[in-house]
């Protein structure tokens, strides 16, 4: 997993407005970098300048459940979000884990205020569910960010001399956070690796030189990464901690001096987390053929676990290998939720319509999205799609290029149409199923940002008709409707009136004989034997004052 915390992200009014309409540039950049390595954005939360992102391998998604986010403002008496904390909690193979990214008050004399703010964040952040309501109720907590603790007593000359002489241990006992961990009950049990890297604050921007301005701020380790186990079993190694069924080992902890865009140096840590898997099977099993060479091969068989509570808003998405987020599907189909008659095995079949299938040859996979859990709870292994008469993949897979965006027809959904975007989604930056990117309409042509439009979150009533699936480029004819002229050029964007799809479109027709799972050769489940341990690495990146 990759867990990335940012502080002081540009939160000017124009930036916040753009981020409300599209995904913010930092999230886009990290998704672009990590998606080729099969990492998918699990969840994100932002509070003004504080941003927290969690990525995981796509085949681990069915074992990441109960995902929730929260944020707490502590600036200006709790009314302003320039200071505070944002968190993401989830169940990791049955173990409750919480990631807390904080930006605490600055200045040397505010050490007590930093501790008080941290205690307020812990008290105010509450989650739903019986397993863990507060932050410290989780089996494992990672706490990181610009914590702003300074070095007491020692003067500027002595601190710089110790840094230049590589005698950092002389500064450890005067570090405010180390002092607070010994005397503040709220910090009891939090562990941190040795501070073997130079203080990360404050540098002249663009250099590796400490502050030379008139203020001449004293260097300090303001950017930190700590962790805490709920019921720790203290080992002899200070870099490792253990709890019942789980152990955490710190593999590396340091700063990155080659980044000079900020007056802070980013800090990262790599942890190895070993635990016994409490979840060994996904909630939904999916079977597909190894290769789709005819439209009739686009048949999906799925079976729910008996404990799964299904929803009429569940859907199955078709994803290209290397997708970035669960809404980056190529096409989708609604699942069937009526009672099953196949021996009570909760088994159903659905089919993708021929017009919704991608053109060209490539590798894809399927994911079952649960509206109640708000995540993918079942995925398949990659399979091949190569339909007859399709164009080469190089021509059809260029959806990210500017030329394709320029020529595409932008189909807008009705505000209350039945969209795969969950009706209870909190984030306004989610992606609607048929909403193309308004890249050239909203941004300059030189911008590298891949825009995202908000999904129609108001779709709650199951009586709403489903939106018509957009046709592929090769078969799309210019529809009748309103025309919107872009200020960036003479491009005309046609916004057609949207008509609902026919009832039952995308489902297998009546009378179709159910296909047994045995006739398919690929299963979505990722089996993790309960008797063995699962190793996973969590890398936490803490970047501060990214501008």
């Amino acid at each position: 997993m990759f867990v990335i915390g940012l502080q002081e992200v540009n939160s000017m009014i124009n930036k916040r407005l753009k981020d409300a309409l599209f995904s913010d540039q930092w999230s886009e950049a990290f998704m672009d970098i990590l998606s080729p390595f099969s990492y998918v954005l699990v969840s994100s939360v932002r509070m003004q300048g504080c941003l927290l992102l969690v990525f995981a391998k796509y085949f681990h998604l069915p074992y990441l459940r109960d995902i929730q986010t929260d944020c707490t403002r502590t600036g200006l008496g709790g009314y302003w979000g320039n200071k505070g904390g944002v968190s993401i909690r989830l169940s990791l193979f049955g173990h409750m884990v919480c990631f807390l990214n904080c930006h605490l008050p600055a200045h040397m004399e505010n050490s007590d205020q930093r501790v008080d703010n941290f205690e307020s964040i812990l008290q105010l952040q509450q989650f739903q569910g019986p397993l863990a309501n507060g932050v410290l109720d989780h089996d494992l907590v990672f706490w990181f960010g610009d914590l702003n603790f300074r070095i007491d007593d020692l003067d500027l000359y002595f601190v710089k001399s110790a840094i230049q002489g590589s005698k950092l241990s002389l500064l450890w006992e005067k570090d405010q956070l180390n002092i607070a961990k010994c005397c503040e009950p709220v910090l009891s049990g939090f562990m941190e690796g040795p501070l073997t890297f130079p203080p990360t604050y404050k540098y002249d921007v663009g250099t590796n030189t400490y502050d030379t301005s008139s203020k001449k701020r004293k260097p300090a380790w303001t950017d930190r990464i700590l962790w805490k186990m709920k019921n720790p079993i203290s080992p002899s190694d200070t870099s490792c901690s253990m709890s019942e069924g789980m152990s955490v080992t710190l593999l590396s902890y340091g700063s990155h001096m080659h980044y000079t865009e900020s007056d802070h140096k980013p800090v990262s840590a790599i942890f190895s987390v070993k635990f016994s898997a409490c979840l060994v099977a996904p909630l939904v099993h999916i079977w597909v053929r190894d290769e789709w060479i005819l439209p009739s091969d686009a048949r999906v068989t799925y079976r729910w676990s008996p404990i799964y509570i299904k929803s009429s808003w569940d859907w199955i998405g078709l994803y290209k290998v290397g997708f970035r987020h669960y809404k980056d599907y190529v096409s989708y189909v609604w699942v069937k939720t009526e009672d099953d008659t196949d021996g009570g095995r909760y088994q159903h079949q659905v089919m993708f319509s021929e017009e919704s299938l991608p053109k060209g040859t490539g590798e894809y996979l399927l994911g079952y999205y649960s509206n109640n859990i708000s995540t993918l709870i079942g995925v398949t292994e990659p399979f091949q799609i190569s339909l007859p008469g399709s164009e080469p993949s190089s021509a059809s897979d260029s959806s990210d290029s500017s030329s394709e965006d320029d020529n595409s027809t932008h189909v807008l959904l009705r505000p209350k149409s039945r969209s795969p975007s969950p009706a209870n989604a909190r984030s306004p930056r989610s992606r609607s199923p048929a909403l193309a990117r308004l890249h050239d309409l909203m941004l300059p042509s030189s911008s590298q940002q891949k825009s995202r439009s908000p999904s129609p979150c108001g779709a709650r009533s199951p009586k709403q008709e489903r939106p018509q699936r957009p046709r592929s480029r090769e078969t799309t004819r210019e529809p009748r409707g309103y025309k919107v002229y872009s200020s960036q050029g003479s491009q005309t964007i046609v916004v057609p009136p949207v008509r609902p799809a026919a009832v039952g479109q995308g489902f297998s027709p009546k009378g179709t004989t159910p296909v047994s799972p045995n006739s398919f050769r690929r299963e979505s489940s990722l089996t993790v034997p309960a008797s063995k341990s699962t190793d996973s690495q969590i890398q936490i990146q803490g970047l501060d004052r990214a501008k």
Side-chain angles (χ1 to χ4, degrees):
M1 301 177 67
F2 279 90
V3 182
I4 304 165
L6 307 175
Q7 303 85 41
E8 292 198 11
V9 172
N10 191 333
S11 57
M12 300 293 289
I13 297 299
N14 59 336
K15 285 286 186 179
R16 295 295 290 139
L17 178 60
K18 186 182 297 183
D19 292 344
L21 296 174
F22 313 103
S23 295
D24 64 275
Q25 294 179 351
W26 284 103
S27 299
E28 293 285 344
F30 286 118
M31 285 191 288
D32 288 340
I33 293 170
L34 294 174
S35 60
F37 302 96
S38 300
Y39 285 96
V40 178
L41 180 63
V42 176
S43 182
S44 65
V45 58
R46 179 171 178 178
M47 180 187 67
Q48 283 184 217
C50 289
L51 176 65
L52 178 58
L53 309 168
V54 174
F55 291 84
K57 293 281 191 177
Y58 75 87
F59 46 80
H60 286 155
L61 295 181
Y63 305 95
L64 306 180
R65 304 176 187 174
D66 199 16
I67 303 170
Q68 298 180 41
T69 65
D70 202 354
C71 61
T72 303
R73 297 174 175 86
T74 59
L76 294 180
Y79 290 97
W80 192 244
N82 63 322
K83 297 292 189 295
V86 293
S87 63
I88 297 176
R89 81 88 171 262
L90 51 84
S91 171
L92 177 64
F93 283 86
H95 298 273
M96 301 305 296
V97 181
C98 182
F99 303 98
L100 177 60
N101 173 29
C102 289
H103 190 189
L104 301 181
H107 306 305
M108 178 74 68
E109 65 277 7
N110 290 331
S111 179
D112 291 340
Q113 185 181 355
R114 286 186 275 274
V115 176
D116 292 341
N117 281 13
F118 178 60
E119 188 172 8
S120 298
I121 293 171
L122 295 181
Q123 292 176 352
L124 294 175
Q125 296 212 352
Q126 297 293 319
F127 303 96
Q128 301 294 326
L131 297 179
N133 298 117
V135 172
L136 298 183
D137 295 333
H138 293 75
D139 299 321
L140 176 60
V141 177
F142 290 98
W143 174 39
F144 51 95
D146 182 3
L147 308 185
N148 256 324
F149 287 98
R150 307 304 172 95
I151 298 176
D152 269 337
D153 299 335
L154 305 178
D155 59 32
L156 175 63
Y157 176 79
F158 183 87
V159 172
K160 287 189 174 182
S161 298
I163 297 172
Q164 294 174 358
S166 299
K167 298 179 180 179
L168 300 177
S169 59
L170 300 176
L171 310 177
W172 293 348
E173 62 181 12
K174 296 299 182 180
D175 175 73
Q176 291 179 343
L177 181 55
N178 287 335
I179 297 173
K181 285 195 299 179
C182 298
C183 60
E184 296 290 346
V186 70
L187 300 179
S188 176
F190 277 96
M191 302 183 65
E192 184 182 17
L195 300 173
T196 57
F197 50 93
T200 57
Y201 174 84
K202 174 181 178 18
Y203 290 85
D204 292 336
V205 176
T207 71
N208 288 326
T209 304
Y210 284 106
D211 186 21
T212 59
S213 67
S214 58
K215 295 183 179 180
K216 289 188 169 25
R217 295 178 178 87
K218 187 166 53 174
W221 286 287
T222 58
D223 311 282
R224 313 287 280 270
I225 300 174
L226 300 90
W227 76 97
K228 180 179 181 178
M229 307 293 294
K230 182 178 180 180
N231 299 310
I233 303 174
S234 299
S236 57
D237 185 2
T238 57
S239 65
C240 177
S241 59
M242 294 184 293
S243 182
E244 296 181 2
M246 176 180 288
S247 66
V248 180
T249 303
L250 176 65
L251 303 180
S252 68
Y253 185 34
S255 63
H256 302 270
M257 298 294 292
H258 55 283
Y259 290 102
T260 60
E261 293 83 359
S262 171
D263 56 355
H264 288 240
K265 297 300 180 184
V267 173
S268 68
I270 301 177
F271 297 88
S272 174
V273 182
K274 181 180 291 187
F275 50 82
S276 58
C278 300
L279 300 177
V280 296
L283 293 173
V284 172
H285 293 265
I286 311 174
W287 295 271
V288 292
R289 298 186 183 275
D290 285 342
E291 186 176 9
W292 293 1
I293 58 177
L294 296 173
S296 58
D297 294 333
R299 187 188 304 273
V300 183
T301 301
Y302 59 94
R303 185 176 70 235
W304 295 300
S305 168
I307 64 174
Y308 174 62
I309 302 176
K310 55 185 178 293
S311 168
S312 60
W313 294 96
D314 291 355
W315 46 274
I316 296 177
L318 176 65
Y319 299 90
K320 192 168 182 62
V321 171
F323 70 103
R324 303 157 15 127
H325 189 267
Y326 75 85
K327 292 181 182 176
D328 277 339
Y329 47 78
V330 177
S331 61
Y332 69 93
V333 61
W334 296 102
V335 302
K336 297 180 179 179
T337 56
E338 61 269 18
D339 293 336
D340 183 52
T341 58
D342 187 12
R345 293 185 296 175
Y346 305 91
Q347 183 171 302
H348 286 289
Q349 287 186 8
V350 292
M351 287 193 63
F352 284 85
S353 60
E354 182 176 357
E355 62 269 17
S356 69
L357 296 177
K359 304 301 179 182
T361 301
E363 281 195 316
Y364 296 83
L365 57 90
L366 294 173
Y368 185 107
Y369 179 83
S370 169
N371 182 70
N372 294 331
I373 305 180
S374 301
T375 187
L376 295 178
I377 60 174
V379 294
T380 65
E381 295 180 5
F383 58 90
Q384 193 83 6
I385 292 183
S386 181
L387 298 178
S390 60
E391 298 179 358
S393 59
S394 60
S396 61
D397 295 337
S398 58
S399 60
D400 290 336
S401 63
S402 60
S403 60
E404 183 135 341
D405 284 338
D406 292 339
N407 297 327
S408 62
T409 299
H410 295 252
V411 182
L412 302 180
L413 291 177
R414 293 176 180 175
K416 293 187 178 181
S417 61
R418 183 175 177 178
S419 161
S421 303
N424 57 354
R426 299 179 180 178
S427 172
R429 292 184 291 275
S430 56
R431 286 155 253 180
S432 58
L435 185 57
R437 281 174 267 187
L438 303 181
H439 179 77
D440 294 319
L441 180 63
M442 303 300 298
L443 300 175
S445 59
S446 61
S447 174
Q448 297 297 320
Q449 179 185 8
K450 293 183 178 64
S451 58
R452 290 289 191 275
S453 295
S455 61
C457 298
R460 294 182 180 272
S461 174
K463 296 182 181 180
Q464 287 289 345
E465 297 172 324
R466 301 170 187 157
Q468 184 177 3
R469 297 181 179 87
R471 297 181 179 179
S472 61
R473 175 191 311 284
E474 291 76 13
T475 60
T476 300
R477 292 176 295 178
E478 182 177 9
R480 298 172 60 188
Y482 300 100
K483 294 185 178 181
V484 181
Y485 294 91
S486 168
S487 60
Q488 302 299 328
S490 59
Q491 177 191 4
T492 302
I493 302 174
V494 180
V495 184
V498 180
R499 296 184 176 89
V503 176
Q505 181 177 355
F507 296 102
S508 57
K510 295 183 177 179
T512 303
T513 303
V515 179
S516 172
N518 297 328
S519 63
F520 296 95
R521 292 175 285 173
R522 187 151 298 190
E523 184 176 350
S524 67
S525 62
L526 174 66
T527 302
V528 182
S531 60
K532 296 184 179 180
S533 297
T534 301
D535 293 334
S536 64
Q537 286 192 352
I538 301 177
Q539 180 161 341
I540 301 179
Q541 301 278 2
L543 304 181
D544 185 73
R545 286 173 171 77
K547 298 179 180 177

